Amino acid sequence: MSRTLLRHPNIRTGSTGSSGGHAPVTTALLVEDGVVVALGDEALAAGRSGGADAVVDLPGEAVLPGLHDAHIHTEWRSRDLSSVDLREARSLEEALSLVASHTATLGPDEWLHSGRWNHNRWTVPVQPDRRSLDRVAPDRVAALSSVDGHTVWANSLALRLAGITRETPDPVGGEIVRDADGEPTGILRESAQDLLDVVPQAKAPLRPLLERNHDELLALGLTSITDIDGEECRDAYVAMHADGRLRLRVAKCVRGDDLEVAVADGRRSGQGDGVLSVGPVKFFSDGALGSHTAHMTEPFLGHEGCGIAAMPYPVLLQRIRRSLAHGFDIATHAIGDEANRLVLDAFATVRAEGHTGILRVEHAQHLLAADVPRFRELDVVASMQPSHCTADLELADEIIGYRPLHSYAWRTLLDAGARLAFGSDAPVEDPNPFHALHAAVTRQRADGLPPGGWRPHERITLDEALHAHTVGAHEAVGRHDVGRLVPGQLADLVAVDRDPWSVDPADIRDTVVLQTVVGGETVFTR
Ligand SMILES: [Zn+2]
């Protein structure tokens, strides 16, 4: 047994102090074997009477519960760390010149991958084609992902090696974009991206990249994550955990495509230990806004289509049922209002059949008014990413405009009794949780725009945002032993350079983490 006394004048417990709960602020935590056992004067008294093996004074202006990113792609982000970053490019030409200089650093057989290009921010906002990519990468496979991960921009060589021609039909839930002559342009949307999987790819080993990403997340104040990526990522976390290298608490999702592997493996949601556990199964029901593949009830402004249903509704329902029957919780991606309606229909069906597993909608971005109360009625978690709102707001105005929808509707959902879990969807957005807290309370971008916030009636308080980024995210993977700094909870916390409750809300975004503690042990110090 080891006991540590942690002291700081401004420890935010995450408790509201209401209905006999603990005080919202305390000055000390007594931690025994990773778990908080006493607060405040009681903890200090135990320390004075020799009841602590060590006394630690935490730095900075405030201490708060460690944050949990409820939706993050760590394999994708880790691999991005070794690729070109096109997010800031403001034109096709600028993107191509970045690709050209990155290509010069690659070995002869290495693919051009990731990239995170965002044509919506280019001076001429049209999706690019293979011919432009061929100019800078004629003789290596190039398959560059859009910033939302829902579109690939491939070169001619990639299409040829994958056997994609004018005769290739669109796969279910995807589109091979074609030019006026019927030739593939190199743009592959949604499931059409998977057509490239047949092309052999020499990938760098994942684990060193994943470890670098792991350490970066701890330094940002994250102490738990729910990872959305695939089996290779899971294997790397299992190996890291076996070596004692895993300090983040990881709830590892199962991708819908890997469900049978996980079933055969005997996995169930919640299995594991306090560090690495099995998360929900992740399904897609539609695409994304930036790729015009979100599934809407009405067409996008200036476009004919209503987006893409990633899988036919009966298939989605059948796969959700099968997952629940095997003990898995469910996380289903839904961006558009039609996608959200259909996912909630599927959830209503399985609830009526008596299934009690955790049900989550990932993103829940654009909701019909009639669907808002269904989150509480069906006990469905809205797993949302505040930074999506501030990154998308111009695009949402441009391609959705004003419809009777609730968009990024945190206030409306909370008022309707829904449970929120916050995350980043990194690398789509920055994984910094203070960016999310800032976006949630201001609905403004880093530049302070728009004045007063975008649809400011949907702003929420810092306490509400922190709750969604801690307790809400933990509960969304069935954990009730962590999230508050009160007796009986794990001592996961961060010390930061400012008091987010007393600074100008605009400054929450720049909060710097000075020390991160997981289970009472310091895992990062600046
Ligand atoms: Zn995602």
Side-chain angles (χ1 to χ4, degrees):
M1 186 181 86
S2 84
R3 285 184 147 204
T4 306
L5 181 66
L6 302 174
R7 297 190 300 202
H8 191 282
N10 185 21
I11 299 174
R12 300 281 174 158
T13 61
S15 194
T16 57
S18 61
S19 60
H22 295 275
V25 182
T26 190
T27 54
L29 305 170
L30 185 65
V31 177
E32 183 178 305
D33 294 334
V35 177
V36 177
V37 293
L39 300 184
D41 290 344
E42 190 191 341
L44 292 168
R48 273 194 300 273
S49 61
D53 310 305
V55 178
V56 176
D57 286 309
L58 294 165
E61 296 300 315
V63 170
L64 52 149
L67 293 125
H68 182 152
D69 191 323
H71 184 124
I72 183 166
H73 301 263
T74 56
E75 175 176 353
W76 180 11
R77 180 167 194 272
S78 300
R79 293 208 178 279
D80 273 3
L81 295 174
S82 66
S83 186
V84 61
D85 185 351
L86 304 175
R87 282 175 299 172
E88 297 305 317
R90 288 294 175 270
S91 66
L92 173 63
E93 289 65 37
E94 194 184 338
L96 289 172
S97 86
L98 287 167
V99 169
S101 26
H102 175 66
T103 304
T105 69
L106 295 176
D109 296 327
E110 281 186 76
W111 280 37
L112 262 171
H113 66 91
S114 302
R116 298 186 274 170
W117 51 278
N118 185 357
H119 71 285
N120 295 303
R121 302 183 76 172
W122 293 352
T123 43
V124 183
V126 290
Q127 287 199 332
D129 65 21
R130 64 188 159 86
R131 290 194 178 82
S132 57
L133 198 47
D134 290 346
R135 290 208 306 270
V136 292
D139 47 14
R140 73 174 68 240
V141 175
L144 294 168
S145 299
S146 61
V147 67
D148 57 26
H150 288 259
T151 302
V152 153
W153 170 23
N155 66 355
S156 298
L157 179 61
L159 295 185
R160 191 159 68 244
L161 292 175
I164 299 170
T165 67
R166 56 185 301 136
E167 271 76 47
T168 311
D170 285 348
V172 174
E175 183 188 4
I176 301 166
V177 176
R178 297 156 209 268
D179 63 20
D181 302 325
E183 289 293 332
T185 66
I187 291 293
L188 305 172
R189 292 201 178 120
E190 303 299 333
S191 69
Q193 300 175 97
D194 304 341
L195 297 171
L196 295 176
D197 289 352
V198 299
V199 184
Q201 181 180 179
K203 281 194 204 164
L206 178 59
R207 181 163 165 181
L209 299 170
L210 206 61
E211 288 187 5
R212 184 176 145 199
N213 176 67
H214 167 274
D215 295 349
E216 287 185 10
L217 299 185
L218 289 172
L220 291 174
L222 293 167
T223 52
S224 292
I225 59 170
T226 298
D227 178 83
I228 306 294
D229 286 337
E231 295 294 292
E232 189 182 352
C233 183
R234 176 177 182 274
D235 292 345
Y237 281 127
V238 168
M240 281 172 70
H241 190 28
D243 296 345
R245 177 71 175 82
L246 189 58
R247 311 311 297 271
L248 273 173
R249 302 185 195 280
V250 178
K252 185 69 205 76
C253 289
V254 174
R255 298 211 127 187
D257 290 345
D258 301 319
L259 174 61
E260 297 311 321
V261 174
V263 167
D265 208 16
R267 265 180 252 164
R268 307 171 71 86
S269 296
Q271 236 175 20
D273 56 26
V275 179
L276 181 59
S277 58
V278 179
V281 177
K282 162 83 188 306
F283 293 110
F284 281 97
S285 78
D286 70 343
L289 211 55
S291 295
H292 295 100
T293 51
H295 193 194
M296 306 294 292
T297 50
E298 306 275 340
F300 291 109
L301 299 176
H303 287 256
E304 281 165 24
C306 292
I308 289 182
M311 62 175 103
Y313 177 78
V315 177
L316 178 67
L317 178 59
Q318 181 266 331
R319 301 191 69 195
I320 288 173
R321 259 195 201 119
R322 178 163 171 77
S323 307
L324 288 165
H326 284 276
F328 287 101
D329 299 328
I330 306 294
T332 304
H333 167 116
I335 302 265
D337 57 339
E338 180 68 355
N340 277 281
R341 185 181 71 78
L342 290 171
V343 170
L344 290 164
D345 282 354
F347 285 173
T349 303
V350 295
R351 283 287 190 237
E353 290 166 357
H355 288 290
T356 55
I358 295 170
L359 302 177
R360 318 166 30 144
V361 176
E362 301 304 307
H363 313 308
Q365 273 181 14
H366 307 285
L367 301 172
L368 296 164
D371 286 331
V372 169
R374 300 173 83 195
F375 282 84
R376 189 185 67 80
E377 287 160 17
L378 300 169
D379 192 16
V380 172
V381 177
S383 168
M384 304 178 76
Q385 300 75 32
S387 295
H388 276 329
C389 171
T390 47
D392 289 354
L393 52 91
E394 280 177 340
L395 184 66
D397 281 341
E398 186 188 318
I399 69 174
I400 297 180
Y402 279 88
R403 303 179 189 189
L405 292 179
H406 296 286
S407 295
Y408 316 89
W410 314 311
R411 176 83 272 149
T412 298
L413 281 162
L414 281 182
D415 288 349
R419 295 199 280 151
L420 294 184
F422 277 170
S424 67
D425 204 11
V428 180
E429 309 298 346
D430 194 290
N432 187 329
F434 293 94
H435 290 194
L437 297 177
H438 168 259
V441 302
T442 66
R443 292 175 75 94
Q444 289 175 323
R445 303 185 306 209
D447 60 7
L449 293 175
W454 188 77
R455 304 189 188 174
H457 59 278
E458 293 292 357
R459 287 177 301 187
I460 58 176
T461 67
L462 181 57
D463 284 329
E464 289 167 332
L466 182 67
H467 186 273
H469 227 318
T470 53
V471 175
H474 294 301
E475 288 183 354
V477 288
R479 290 198 73 155
H480 301 271
D481 59 339
V482 56
R484 293 187 181 92
L485 298 175
V486 300
Q489 296 266 296
L490 290 161
D492 291 7
L493 53 92
V494 290
V496 293
D497 73 333
R498 66 198 71 193
D499 179 356
W501 284 265
S502 60
V503 297
D504 183 326
D507 295 330
I508 293 173
R509 196 171 191 279
D510 300 322
T511 300
V512 175
V513 171
L514 304 175
Q515 188 168 341
T516 304
V517 173
V518 175
E521 283 181 44
T522 296
V523 292
F524 165 77
T525 318
R526 188 165 303 278

